[in-house]
Amino acid sequence: MASVVVVGAQWGDEGKGKITDFLAQKADLVVRYQGGNNAGHTVVVGNEEHKLHLIPSGILYAGKACVIGNGVVVDPGALVQELEGLEGRGISTANLKISGRAHLIMPYHLRLDEVEEERRGANKIGTTKRGIGPAYMDKAARTGIRMVDLLDPVEFRVQLTRNLQEKNRLLERVFDAPGFEVEAIFTEFQQYAERLRPYVTDTSIILDEVRKAGKNILFEGAQGTLLDLDHGTYPYVTSSHPVAGAACIGAGVGPTTIDKVIGVAKAYSTRVGEGPYPTELHDETGDRIRQAGHEFGTTTGRPRRCGWLDVVVLRYSVRVSGLSAMAITKLDVLDHLPVIKICVGYRYQGNVIDYFPDSLKKLAQCEPVYEELPGWLAPTTGCRTFADLPPNARRYVERVEELCECPVALLAVGPERDQTIILDPVYT
């Protein structure tokens, strides 16, 4: 038995979907523990590409139990659309369960997200405008509406009416934006309630039963460490906690139940949205990486900012999430580069520092200090063992391990399930 948490070790978009899908083969239960449909996992199975936003990656295995935990904020319309998309492809969603404690994203959250971002102007955060931030704000303010409330039409109407009195005043008087009618939202959401009712339950009980039965659990996070509300590049972060510790809160389990934490990182780095990004490339190499890695957002389609691998960031992730091992993805994207750089420190005001600053002002003044390694200029997509890799590719991986002081357990050399090299099995 093992309970394993998979986290993003960079700014999100690290290829967690592929890694969670790969590990889900030996997991009995897959749990999504935070975030909303502002995140997306792309999973390739045979000739089919699946883009998942709320439903755990394990859904692609027949009979695999999947849970959307209480730490997730759920847009019920988006969830219904995702369910129908999967079912239209012949994929059963019968084994999906949704926590009754998960909070809802309401229409007013989406509108507030949009008008607030527009009002920021040059100081915009880079939100996906999916209503995630406003939903988490209401959760913290104790005015949120939960999935269990949606299933009770009397309670749902009471809470919706109360919230719209406040939200409509805010939208109309502060943002000069139109408000909402209670009946329109109530009617729409009651349709969602009936569609989702069979899935909603107390999922913490399910997790406890699976754990006590000695089965494997996989906890799946969205986004990445540097987008964490507390530990990321604040305020250019998401509104939840992608770090490993959040798996316990967002799923309803105790910290003593977690056995391993796997940090997923690309062989280079990317990010979307605003904020300092020391190793970002604004040249032809950055463009080559973007095109070779298909670096465009799963949810938004936005081109991602690309740069060299930053082990200052990875060491930080090792520390704040307590990584047991790493999974390195998209190694094959570097196959055609003659020289590959790794950022090993930052130069700040004439001195070299090896830690990730907590001040964005300080981070913006940091220049990357690079170590150069020779490229391998050979395809890796057909490699299935570490020994199969070109010598320079092996040295690159070994150097990352040395610099991060964390072993690499998995290597991805392509999007397919079998394009994964196992250095150390996560589930034994």
Side-chain angles (χ1 to χ4, degrees):
M1 179 198 80
S3 291
V4 177
V5 182
V6 174
V7 300
Q10 296 162 311
W11 278 274
D13 308 309
E14 299 97 345
K16 294 183 298 300
K18 175 187 167 64
I19 298 302
T20 53
D21 172 73
F22 181 80
L23 293 176
Q25 296 176 74
K26 293 189 176 181
D28 298 288
L29 177 65
V30 184
V31 188
R32 169 78 178 273
Y33 64 83
Q34 50 76 225
N37 63 315
N38 58 332
H41 287 163
T42 300
V43 180
V44 177
V45 182
N47 295 322
E48 286 198 81
E49 184 178 77
H50 302 271
K51 294 183 183 293
L52 303 170
H53 301 279
L54 284 165
I55 299 175
S57 302
I59 201 72
L60 301 178
Y61 291 94
K64 193 76 65 177
C66 293
V67 163
I68 295 176
N70 56 275
V72 179
V73 287
V74 178
D75 181 330
L79 178 55
V80 167
Q81 185 177 20
E82 192 167 334
L83 286 167
E84 292 176 348
L86 288 168
E87 290 165 359
R89 287 181 156 191
I91 298 168
S92 173
T93 61
N95 288 319
L96 174 69
K97 297 299 178 184
I98 306 166
S99 172
R101 293 181 172 87
H103 280 245
L104 299 180
I105 297 174
M106 302 297 294
Y108 47 79
H109 291 138
L110 278 79
R111 188 164 295 172
L112 282 167
D113 203 359
E114 181 178 2
V115 296
E116 287 172 352
E117 181 76 343
E118 289 173 356
R119 195 174 191 182
R120 293 184 185 104
N123 296 316
K124 65 181 180 179
I125 294 172
T127 170
T128 58
K129 302 179 183 178
R130 297 296 199 276
I132 311 301
Y136 276 115
M137 286 172 65
D138 278 4
K139 180 177 181 177
R142 291 161 290 182
T143 59
I145 301 176
R146 300 181 301 166
M147 188 66 70
V148 69
D149 303 318
L150 175 64
L151 303 187
D152 181 340
V154 175
E155 182 64 21
F156 180 70
R157 184 186 288 274
V158 169
Q159 295 192 28
L160 176 63
T161 302
R162 176 201 67 198
N163 284 3
L164 279 184
Q165 290 174 352
E166 175 195 347
K167 303 304 181 185
N168 282 347
R169 278 198 302 269
L170 181 60
L171 285 165
E172 294 165 359
R173 299 182 186 181
V174 176
F175 293 103
D176 195 26
F180 293 89
E181 296 290 335
V182 171
E183 287 305 320
I185 295 179
F186 181 82
T187 301
E188 177 187 354
F189 273 61
Q190 283 310 294
Q191 294 175 0
Y192 298 146
E194 294 313 306
R195 178 70 171 88
L196 298 174
R197 187 180 298 276
Y199 299 99
V200 180
T201 188
D202 187 335
T203 54
S204 67
I205 295 175
I206 296 174
L207 266 70
D208 192 52
E209 290 173 346
V210 171
R211 183 185 64 83
K212 286 178 177 177
K215 296 181 179 180
N216 293 330
I217 303 175
L218 182 64
F219 296 88
E220 171 186 335
Q223 288 98 20
T225 301
L226 272 296
L227 295 181
D228 187 272
L229 184 60
D230 276 2
H231 301 287
T233 50
Y234 189 90
Y236 302 106
V237 293
T238 193
S239 301
S240 62
H241 297 285
V243 295
C248 297
I249 297 170
V253 299
T256 56
T257 65
I258 304 300
D259 299 297
K260 297 179 182 179
V261 181
I262 307 301
V264 184
K266 285 174 181 166
Y268 47 98
S269 65
T270 66
R271 79 160 298 173
V272 294
E274 308 300 319
Y277 175 21
T279 67
E280 183 173 10
L281 294 169
H282 300 280
D283 57 12
E284 181 184 354
T285 300
D287 292 336
R288 287 180 66 183
I289 291 174
R290 184 178 300 106
Q291 294 302 322
H294 307 289
E295 296 297 349
F296 300 90
T298 301
T299 298
T300 64
R302 292 184 295 183
R304 295 174 183 141
R305 301 159 66 187
C306 297
W308 296 116
L309 185 67
D310 188 336
V311 297
V312 180
V313 166
L314 294 187
R315 284 196 297 263
Y316 180 65
S317 296
V318 170
R319 183 170 78 248
V320 299
S321 278
L323 300 187
S324 311
M326 290 190 295
I328 303 296
T329 64
K330 295 196 170 185
L331 184 69
D332 55 298
V333 173
L334 304 181
D335 285 354
H336 302 292
L337 297 178
V339 175
I340 298 171
K341 297 181 182 181
I342 300 175
C343 174
V344 296
Y346 299 147
R347 183 169 286 104
Y348 174 70
Q349 294 185 346
N351 297 312
V352 175
I353 60 175
D354 62 358
Y355 60 88
F356 194 78
D358 52 10
S359 163
L360 250 64
K361 182 178 180 180
K362 185 173 181 179
L363 181 63
Q365 297 175 44
C366 288
E367 297 179 0
V369 176
Y370 286 120
E371 180 176 303
E372 291 190 1
L373 282 77
W376 43 93
L377 298 177
T380 58
T381 53
C383 298
R384 294 297 178 268
T385 68
F386 191 67
D388 291 340
L389 291 171
N392 285 349
R394 294 199 300 269
R395 179 57 188 147
Y396 181 75
V397 174
E398 290 166 349
R399 186 58 180 148
V400 171
E401 288 184 314
E402 292 166 1
L403 291 167
C404 295
E405 297 182 352
C406 183
V408 173
L410 301 169
L411 281 172
V413 291
E416 298 284 353
R417 284 173 173 169
D418 67 347
Q419 291 180 303
T420 309
I421 296 172
I422 303 171
L423 285 78
D424 184 22
V426 175
Y427 288 111
T428 55

